[in-house]
Amino acid sequence: MPDELATYAENTWCAGCGNFAILNAMKDVVGKLEERGVGKERVVMTAGIGCHAKIFDYLALSGFYSLHGRSMATAQGIKLANPDLKVVGFCGDGDAFAEGIAHMMYAAKRNSDITIVVHDNGVYALTTGQRGPTSAHGFKGPSTPRGNTEDPFNPLVLMLEAGATFVARGYVVMVGELTDLIVAGMMHEGFSFIQVLQPSVTFTNRYAEYNEMVERLEKPASTLDEALALARETDRLPAGIFYQTEKPSNERALYGDWNPVTNHPPRAKRLAKVKELIG
Amino acid sequence: MPDELATYAENTWCAGCGNFAILNAMKDVVGKLEERGVGKERVVMTAGIGCHAKIFDYLALSGFYSLHGRSMATAQGIKLANPDLKVVGFCGDGDAFAEGIAHMMYAAKRNSDITIVVHDNGVYALTTGQRGPTSAHGFKGPSTPRGNTEDPFNPLVLMLEAGATFVARGYVVMVGELTDLIVAGMMHEGFSFIQVLQPSVTFTNRYAEYNEMVERLEKPASTLDEALALARETDRLPAGIFYQTEKPSNERALYGDWNPVTNHPPRAKRLAKVKELIG
Amino acid sequence: MSRDRFTYIVGGKAGEGIKKAGSSAANFFASMGRHVFQMDDYPSLIRGGHNFVAVTTATREITSHFMKADLVVGLDKRSHETHRDHVAEGGVVVYNSDVVESGQGIGVAMSTEAQKYPNPGLRIGVSGAAALSAVIGLSADEMAAFITREYKRDLENNIPFATDIYRAVAEKAGGKFPLGDGDRERAMMTGNQAIALGVAAAGLDVYLAYPMTPATTILHYLAAHDQELGVVTMQPESEIAVINIALGSAAAGARTAVGTSGGGFALMEEAISLAGMAEVPILAILSARSGPSTGVPTYTEQGDLRFALSPGHGEFARIVASPGTVREAYGLAAELLELAWRFQSPAVLLTEKHLSESRMTLDLDVEDAAWAEPAMHDGGGYKRYADMEDGVSPLLFPPSDELIQWTSYEHDELGITTEDAAAIARMHDKRQRKTETVLEHLRTMKTVNRFGQGKATIFTYGSTTMSVLEALRVSDIEATVVQPVYLKPFPVWELEEYRDANPIVIEQSAAGQFESLLAEKARIDAGAHIRRYDGRPFEPEELAREIERVAQ
Amino acid sequence: MSRDRFTYIVGGKAGEGIKKAGSSAANFFASMGRHVFQMDDYPSLIRGGHNFVAVTTATREITSHFMKADLVVGLDKRSHETHRDHVAEGGVVVYNSDVVESGQGIGVAMSTEAQKYPNPGLRIGVSGAAALSAVIGLSADEMAAFITREYKRDLENNIPFATDIYRAVAEKAGGKFPLGDGDRERAMMTGNQAIALGVAAAGLDVYLAYPMTPATTILHYLAAHDQELGVVTMQPESEIAVINIALGSAAAGARTAVGTSGGGFALMEEAISLAGMAEVPILAILSARSGPSTGVPTYTEQGDLRFALSPGHGEFARIVASPGTVREAYGLAAELLELAWRFQSPAVLLTEKHLSESRMTLDLDVEDAAWAEPAMHDGGGYKRYADMEDGVSPLLFPPSDELIQWTSYEHDELGITTEDAAAIARMHDKRQRKTETVLEHLRTMKTVNRFGQGKATIFTYGSTTMSVLEALRVSDIEATVVQPVYLKPFPVWELEEYRDANPIVIEQSAAGQFESLLAEKARIDAGAHIRRYDGRPFEPEELAREIERVAQ
Ligand SMILES: Cc1ncc(C[n+]2csc(CCOP(=O)(O)OP(=O)(O)O)c2C)c(N)n1
Ligand SMILES: Cc1ncc(C[n+]2csc(CCOP(=O)(O)OP(=O)(O)O)c2C)c(N)n1
Ligand code: SF4
Ligand code: SF4
Ligand SMILES: [Mg+2]
Ligand SMILES: [Mg+2]
């Protein structure tokens, strides 16, 4: 499968970047989705802008390379138009929890049936290392030379509270698990959020730290409270599905079995309806 | 004090609107702040756009009648420029948790020393009654004639999770308590969030329901978890300070005792510095 | 005193049923086969304040309200005081004598009467229909039928209440202005309804909007009729969400439109540029209000023209047009959706509160709407940005075995990011060729309307067209009215003959944006101009006098 | 082979110290009292890919890089292959023989040498300084001093490494291009530094920005020097937060500026309109890159001109200007902050990546900067929007006993919301008068630069000015160059004499936005044009040939 999913784009990630693992995982995801009856032709991706987003150029899937902070809005639009598609959106931490935080909160609130993979490297990497939403207090970057004065957001907590029905954490060193998480997220009907711990070797090389702290989470919490407690842990970093619950997706809630694209009417039919309304 | 704080603007709120109580509370707040050594000349307000925001026209305080969703950004700017001012921002629920949700989350995250009063009527009132971020599932408005398909946000929970250091709920029927809450919020150094249950008699007349459910909360929770549990209650609606904690404000963290406005340098001094840098 | 043209102004507090009083009258006139124009004037509030509706009817076409009314009904003190001088010579003024001490005209104790029934506050608006019925000479039964049809509910109270008012007015001015029937009953709608129906007729699948006056009622209308039409509507968390969800939707193959006013459109600009780069078909409806900024949300202005012409950074094809009448809005909305899809470009329908929210009778052929149908790719080897001669690459939507990559970055034909100098220039060339193709296509279309014939030349555009046409109808002015419908590309090829016409330029703008656009693009320098910018649309009789003044 | 003008191109992977190799050379030339121009060309990535820096130096003023180099150093294979043909006749090519098989020029085993020291990957960039030192005839000691001053750290490894490379190059081309000293040492800075210093010199208190290339380094520079200067910097959550926080800040009395590129500026437009309505002084720096949309983030273009001229909906005074050189950027940034405060209006400094990030020597008088000082209200009875004859109401900031109400709504003089027709028109008139006042003020200022004298007339603007001036210097072309610095209001009063000049219009745009602006505003129709839009700035020798071609 990998070859078929490669493009001719030159890969410009730094050697050792955590993004490679996400790219590899995605290639496996496509295969596993196929096994589950979701053909590659139905898998559509979106990306924001940043190092993470380059995955769009490297992965031979259809989709929309969107704007910084809008990947999850674009993804919702694709799903809204054609609910038969499986939509995965790649976001950076800056994308997801700064410029685009409103869309994240609302994608979760309305339970849009998309999967958002956040490449969380705790920094604005592509713009040369400024602090981001998940940067630690004290983080020094070119816009905060004396250190970040803000405390970081906890993405899992925010998504759980906003109403996400599938919340998970992966780690780039655990590619197999990451693959499974993304597959599970994409098979979940409703909004799936996956935070991926993705060290930036250049700006936030936390492999060593993560290797110590990340622990496999065997099974999802059975309540939101438990999931929140897990998400708040700071001594160890559980990786796995934190929480999963069922609720009608935004698309289903809005229009049931309708499909705007495949149900597009012929002209005569539409004009007849318009005529009716004009009376 | 009331007279001095009135303007000649014609009040165009519906008779019985919960906003009147917030206006009245604010007039008392100004007096109480004065007792605490904060003169009216230092109290500055901002407002978004909506029914709630008309308070700006009715209250004789200096400030900035901003844009829909930006009241809390404008407020942060005022505080950033001159930290000697006490800044209170009025927001609607649409303002605060739809168009402006990013600014709310970040005002809390960075602990900007402003007080945000959200007139939560669970609807976009001024634009004729569309569902808003806190509208109940099933709420019928002109943009959702078959009912709101989304679940509401819990503003208190979101603000607690985002890092607000003062979180409270008031109810327009309890004007005295509301006054005290706003005073406490404004005296708190850091980001203060006050959700005010504000029935819209026209669109969401929930006085009866609230009168049943609202209960005075005697003292703040001692932990974030407790505060969250209180905020999640749905059978009764506690009103009071849910949570209060100490943390350096954004402004202090950024520049300590500096004040951009009062420390504005004379030209010669600034030019000397520029010369130094050019070398 | 039979007159063909009859104007009715009814005013009162918001929440008293003023809009209903106006629209029911308009409906009634339309049911007589007459032409009607209804203008709603209301402040930005929910209850109280001062609303009024001006409804004018005639047996000939009519494209404006008038402010000299044959019947003025004031339900409260302020309305009476504001509008009593709006009565035409010989006209009738009816006021609520319970709240006005020494009124002028026919005082009726409306509040006292209303008190006799439940919900007196809601009832009072029915006075309008009663007074109108009396003045135009309906019988009490005819009035009851009118009220039954328009108010539908609570008739057991509404009809007796109305009958009381009717009697009081009929006594003094009964049958003063009998109205003749018109030729046939026409549809009646607001500009926003026409736009909604137009995009629906063109094949719209998805409509997204965040509430913002005066565009909001497009969302309301489509939401109310979504299942009937098969159009999905959604109100996301902000205008930025609206436009970005919309672009995703369009890229997945759904005909998609969005609607907002200036402030919301401003927030959409980053994504309009994205639509330019990624070549996403999208229609944005921009209905302007008095600005800048929050401005005067429920009042009209043409202050957003220049702003609408250059949305988004960078160079790409932009299409902007503005309808002159409600009738035109229907076809133009459809046409713009079609152009957006034909050229995979953002298209903007620019209009104003005055068109969006005014309501008029019209002769509408529903077929008179384009159908948005993209040129689709066929076979394999798909390249999203295939470098076609006309700059327009075929479309394809998932699910598909082909790779379909839309992108905001500069790209090669497949859609892969590029930083290569030659590749960058090549794609710029492609987009420029598309811009040319759009221009060529517009040359084959009707892009400018001309009305009448006369020595004077008048240039106008957008909703002001309705005012100008009506001003000419009610005066002896002989003029040629030229109305560019398309504003970008600006149809200069149609305007060469006016190079030395020194036209009168009429617009609702303080800065004269349309005048300068004409001068800059078509090198047509105005001989004179008439501008209004107090939030109110031109009044045709006043406008006629102004035209006469400047035409000298 | 002594030449006055000397060009050095050094290329390699990002992260190998290419920028440092370029800037250290530039610094060295400057330290000789020479003029220098340094252009960084880099893709949007953090490590790898292909970066290069082109540094040109002369003993006369110089305003562009050149792409024919006397010394080309390629640290990797791609750089050698990309740039070996950029060598000028008689020039020297140095390449890394460890990674290039059959190179052209002087092969040096840079990687092998670097392996002898720790962190070989970081070291390799030092080869540039070594090769350069050899070619311009420095002694080994002079080279060591050069490296000591520029690299500062790890000298115990850097100097021996450099010495090895130096020897290898010196052997074949030592002293080939001896460089004479210039007249005196000048400051050297990028356009973004000049802008940052300019606004600081004008009294800036607060700078807000969200990272976006090519504006980001203004934030970095001010953040690095915030305490020294007494300027507060902050990076909020988005551009919308930036501009709205900025407006709050300005309304509280702090001189405030923001900076971004096209996409971020698009997001700010709603608030620019707010600044127009509320009359908030704000300076926005818009540094353009190749567009539309995300485009080519690290490359240059002048595609945002029209977009920059009409930000925000509605009618209000807009001021837009674009500096032609880094030197001019300093004074213009200060001047625009001053104008923003003088007129309580949004002002936009439009520039491009080529100016923002290119670095050059300049003669800078720090005093040559305006000081932003508002006209303050005195005494009681304050009205934020006092209806002054010139449209400019005095300012007052809290804390104050007066009521100071800024607002986005249409308002009366005090700032209370109004929907009254006369009041709306009155405030429109006030804002129009302010627009006139701005225009009158601009008439008293220097708004257009003219350079040279010659039969041909060349029009250009922004960073392209630097390219055009250099093209004239290196050719025999005699031309008058006209560069409008102010673009809104457009200084037509300065341009009347060129009405029939049929100028050559030179810009970095595919659509020819500047050309059409000239035609529309000043009715100056281009006789010919030269456009570049592949993301790269004009190269002066190529441009000179183009000018010669079209001038015929
Ligand atoms: C509207 C807008 N603002 C700013 C930028 C510049 N920008 C590009 S990527 C980025 C942030 C990248 O951070 P993150 O999302 O965490 O991605 P990473 O590079 O770390 O993978 C920014 C600010 C942009 N492209 N668009
Ligand atoms: C950018 C923008 N979008 C939309 C609007 C229109 N608008 C005005 S008020 C409002 C919502 C009001 O809801 P809320 O904030 O809850 O205030 P309320 O009227 O209920 O007090 C909207 C959508 C606007 N002014 N600006
Ligand atoms: S800068 Fe960081 S995130 Fe970007 S490619 Fe390099 S290692 Fe990866
Ligand atoms: S509509 Fe609702 S919120 Fe607005 S003034 Fe009336 S009661 Fe208050
Ligand atoms: Mg990141
Ligand atoms: Mg509300």
Side-chain angles (χ1 to χ4, degrees), chain A residues 13 19 48-53 67-70 91-97 99 118-128 130 132-134 198 200 203, chain C residues 270 409, chain D residues 44 46 210-213 216 235 238-239 260-265 267 289 294 297:
Chain A
W13 283 324
N19 281 318
I49 302 296
C51 285
H52 67 279
L67 298 172
H68 175 54
R70 314 300 169 199
C91 298
D93 45 313
D95 251 356
F97 294 105
E99 189 80 75
V118 173
H119 306 215
D120 189 355
N121 54 12
V123 70
Y124 288 8
L126 189 59
T127 50
T128 72
Q130 299 84 4
T134 59
Q198 177 251 312
S200 161
F203 297 113
Chain C
E270 188 199 14
Y409 271 103
Chain D
S44 185
I46 300 299
Y210 189 79
M212 190 161 194
T213 312
T216 312
Q235 176 200 311
S238 70
E239 289 85 353
T260 184
S261 190
F265 191 79
L267 291 168
R289 57 201 214 183
T294 310

Side-chain angles (χ1 to χ4, degrees), chain C residues 92-129:
Chain C
V92 176
V93 176
V94 176
Y95 64 91
N96 182 349
S97 58
D98 289 322
V99 292
V100 178
E101 258 175 45
S102 52
Q104 148 196 326
I106 306 173
V108 182
M110 299 177 189
S111 304
T112 310
E113 291 298 330
Q115 291 297 342
K116 298 179 184 160
Y117 304 92
N119 301 320
L122 298 177
R123 183 118 15 241
I124 205 158
V126 180
S127 309

Side-chain angles (χ1 to χ4, degrees), chain B residues 24-41:
Chain B
N24 290 336
M26 269 312 298
K27 290 182 176 174
D28 292 342
V29 164
V30 174
K32 295 206 170 181
L33 287 176
E34 229 149 57
E35 288 164 17
R36 284 161 181 75
V38 182
K40 178 165 85 88
E41 74 289 349

Side-chain angles (χ1 to χ4, degrees), chain A residues 7-273:
Chain A
T7 69
Y8 54 79
E10 181 187 347
N11 191 309
T12 59
W13 283 324
C14 309
C17 175
N19 281 318
F20 285 102
I22 304 179
L23 175 60
N24 291 335
M26 269 312 298
K27 291 181 176 174
D28 293 340
V29 164
V30 174
K32 296 207 168 181
L33 286 176
E34 231 150 56
E35 289 164 18
R36 284 163 180 75
V38 181
K40 178 164 87 86
E41 75 288 349
R42 283 209 288 137
V43 181
V44 175
M45 64 179 171
T46 67
I49 302 296
C51 285
H52 67 279
K54 294 183 176 192
I55 196 171
F56 188 91
D57 274 333
Y58 308 150
L59 199 52
L61 287 175
S62 292
F64 201 139
Y65 204 154
S66 177
L67 298 172
H68 175 54
R70 314 300 169 199
S71 174
M72 46 301 206
T74 317
Q76 289 180 69
I78 294 172
K79 185 73 190 183
L80 184 73
N82 187 345
D84 294 343
L85 303 174
K86 285 275 179 204
V87 188
V88 56
F90 302 103
C91 298
D93 45 313
D95 251 356
F97 294 105
E99 189 80 75
I101 187 171
H103 311 310
M104 288 299 288
M105 300 296 285
Y106 271 84
K109 179 179 193 282
R110 65 174 70 102
N111 200 30
S112 179
D113 185 16
I114 60 173
T115 298
I116 295 295
V117 176
V118 173
H119 306 215
D120 189 355
N121 54 12
V123 70
Y124 288 8
L126 189 59
T127 50
T128 72
Q130 299 84 4
R131 70 98 186 273
T134 59
S135 301
H137 190 107
F139 172 89
K140 286 192 173 128
S143 62
T144 53
R146 280 186 306 282
N148 181 16
T149 53
E150 298 183 11
D151 289 330
F153 272 146
N154 183 325
L156 294 164
V157 168
L158 294 186
M159 290 296 95
L160 284 165
E161 296 288 16
T165 51
F166 178 103
V167 173
R169 179 192 277 145
Y171 176 35
V172 292
V173 167
M174 294 154 63
V175 186
E177 288 85 345
L178 181 57
T179 305
D180 292 341
L181 287 179
I182 301 176
V183 170
M186 291 184 73
M187 295 308 296
H188 171 77
E189 190 180 326
F191 182 68
S192 307
F193 169 73
I194 302 167
Q195 176 195 33
V196 184
L197 303 176
Q198 177 251 312
S200 161
V201 288
T202 302
F203 297 113
T204 54
N205 194 340
R206 295 163 71 178
Y207 279 114
E209 187 185 330
Y210 285 152
N211 287 344
E212 283 289 307
M213 292 172 70
V214 174
E215 278 180 25
R216 187 167 294 120
L217 177 64
E218 295 305 338
K219 62 174 194 352
S222 47
T223 66
L224 182 64
D225 271 343
E226 252 182 61
L228 283 165
L230 279 171
R232 287 189 217 283
E233 293 196 16
T234 50
D235 295 343
R236 54 166 207 141
L237 295 170
I241 303 176
F242 281 59
Y243 188 62
Q244 183 164 14
T245 186
E246 277 185 25
K247 191 172 119 170
S249 73
N250 176 54
E251 298 72 29
R252 205 170 280 279
L254 279 179
Y255 53 65
D257 291 331
W258 188 258
N259 180 319
V261 165
T262 59
N263 292 134
H264 184 65
R267 180 165 188 245
K269 194 167 154 199
R270 180 58 72 79
L271 287 186
K273 293 282 177 192

Side-chain angles (χ1 to χ4, degrees), chain B residues 10 12-14 49 51 54 66-68 70 94-95 98-99 124-128 130-132 142-146 150 202-203, chain C residues 44-49 78 210-213 216 219-221 223-224 226-227 233-240 267 289 293-294:
Chain B
E10 182 188 347
T12 60
W13 283 325
C14 308
I49 302 296
C51 284
K54 295 185 175 189
S66 177
L67 298 172
H68 176 53
R70 314 301 168 200
D95 251 357
E99 188 81 76
Y124 287 9
L126 189 60
T127 50
T128 72
Q130 299 84 4
R131 71 99 187 274
S143 62
T144 53
R146 280 185 306 282
E150 299 183 11
T202 302
F203 297 113
Chain C
S44 185
L45 52 79
I46 301 298
R47 297 255 180 283
R78 194 189 312 193
Y210 189 80
M212 189 161 194
T213 311
T216 311
L219 173 63
H220 293 179
Y221 187 82
D226 58 351
Q227 292 187 338
T233 62
M234 180 174 156
Q235 176 200 310
E237 66 272 22
S238 70
E239 290 85 353
I240 298 182
L267 291 168
R289 57 201 214 182
S293 201
T294 309

Side-chain angles (χ1 to χ4, degrees), chain D residues 170-192:
Chain D
E171 209 170 278
K172 306 238 169 94
K176 189 157 184 195
F177 299 108
L179 293 180
D181 281 346
D183 54 351
R184 65 199 159 76
E185 200 172 332
R186 290 172 180 78
M188 182 156 52
M189 63 184 73
T190 63
N192 278 352

